[in-house]
Amino acid sequence: MDGALFLREIGVVASSARSYEAPVLIFKGAEQFVREEALVVIDDAKFSRRFLGVLRYVTKLDPLLNPSQRSAVIEKPEIADEGLDIPYETSLVRIIGEIIDGRIDSPSSPPNPRSKVSVVESPGELDLKLGEGLAIGLHKHSGLQIPFRAEALRYHIAVVGTTGTGKSRLVKAIIDEVLEKTSWSVIVFDHTGMDYAPYWRSRVVRADEIILDVGTISEGLIATIGSAERLFEEYVPLALIHYILCGGSSPCKDYPDTNKMEINISREILEKRTLELSRKKGWKASELAKTTADVAKNLGARQSTCVKLALYIALFAETYIRRLNNMSLTINELVEKARRDRILVVDLSTVETEARRAIVKGFLERLWDMVSEKLEPANTLIVIDEAHNYACMQGCSPSSALIEKTLREGRKWGLGVLLASQRVIDLSPDVRNNVNTVFFSRLQTPYDYEQLRNFVDLAGIRPESLSLLETREFFFAGLGNPLKYPMLIRVREVGEPGR
């Protein structure tokens, strides 16, 4: 109890205290030291117990100016200046736990009324054994370092907040600490190419350099052509396979007749041929248009259909097809590079949405293949920026299925996922239910608050409180927090990216 000598007393516990919260009457003259989310210590002298808590619902009251009762000030406004010492202040302490030998235990009974309440104004005033961990930020008012427990990486993280809250700076701080204090590797999917790529320029790969599968190329080509006619969906994938296997040449030497094309090709062979085609700059709109028309004709399409296919590809797909010549890297070799260099940033901004999702899915698929082959933990953190574009309830295939699988099963194999998003409501329920550490700040809509409350113990934090948070201020909740209670932290500075 001697530690209480170093703390500033601000009030006493009032009647109706519970094991999880206690009302507080604030001393006169101490109001200036009372702030919402401030850390406080309750010293129960009667039972020689000590509690740690945070202040909530700070309220100023005046018994003569009760808004539900009539007051003389209505008729005589001048008396409002009289009795200025009558108002008083109350607050509520949400109890985190009981302090025993520097550790926090769950409280089994409430503090005694009249127990003194003191505010923690500096980290040296509180001797807590919170263990080692990643240094993400400090408690806003006390400056106490609340380490992120590294073992919680495998149990997944969500960083949620609207634009301007500092999500990317928080994620950058986590990545820096992972690289410095753990043996884990990090793969970052940068949605815009502006948030993380500038920090690790020598470790960035552009998404348009990554070999795509035929299905993804087909979807992108069909979307580029902008036609909803089924004929494109029927013939384009087959034409692409034919074009790749033939090395872009027309007529095709290996498979001159589409009807006799070998169908026992493997994904590995197709990827190898795609890589060869791209490296020799063999993607040409005019040649693909001709191949598509020939394939459609060999499959029994009408002449008008063949002409339309060739015309649309030649007219509208030139830029898209020429860009396919940039593909020169396989996901397999990029995963190996990430494990060797310990960080890889994928700039997804250079490709369309469908390709972005396919790339995320491809990396996760390869990581799972490695786990299956070696049967040992991968110890890799997968960071997905703007995650509501990749793990939503509907329309995020094929990435959503692999993300959900990794969230459900990855903890055993050292596959951790960090999802950064503006919108909680857009993340699928299966995703939300498998995230065990959450950093949250100002939210975009009231619906996001309601969804957040469904999978995070907010401990009485109100949406109005969130709206008052400044940039780089986040509540830190869940498994990674050693206090097991949402704590308001200010994320440490990470600096500006070098030029």
Side-chain angles (χ1 to χ4, degrees), residues 421-452:
S421 178
Q422 299 179 35
R423 298 293 308 273
V424 181
I425 194 172
D426 288 338
L427 298 175
S428 73
D430 204 17
V431 167
R432 297 196 298 261
N433 293 338
N434 284 285
V435 170
N436 290 278
T437 300
V438 181
F439 295 87
F440 57 96
S441 185
R442 298 192 307 272
L443 300 175
Q444 203 163 52
T445 70
Y447 302 107
D448 290 303
Y449 174 82
E450 293 301 323
Q451 293 299 325
L452 184 67

Side-chain angles (χ1 to χ4, degrees), residues 115-136:
S115 296
K116 295 293 179 63
V117 180
S118 304
V119 65
V120 181
E121 297 177 298
S122 67
E125 297 175 344
L126 194 62
D127 183 22
L128 284 180
K129 299 183 177 80
L130 298 181
E132 300 295 325
L134 312 184
I136 308 301

Side-chain angles (χ1 to χ4, degrees), residues 292-304:
T292 304
D294 290 342
V295 168
K297 181 179 179 181
N298 289 340
L299 293 175
R302 292 181 298 179
Q303 182 63 25
S304 60

Side-chain angles (χ1 to χ4, degrees), residues 456-469:
V456 178
D457 178 12
L458 297 182
I461 299 171
R462 297 164 297 176
E464 295 83 2
S465 299
L466 296 181
S467 65
L468 298 176
L469 297 182

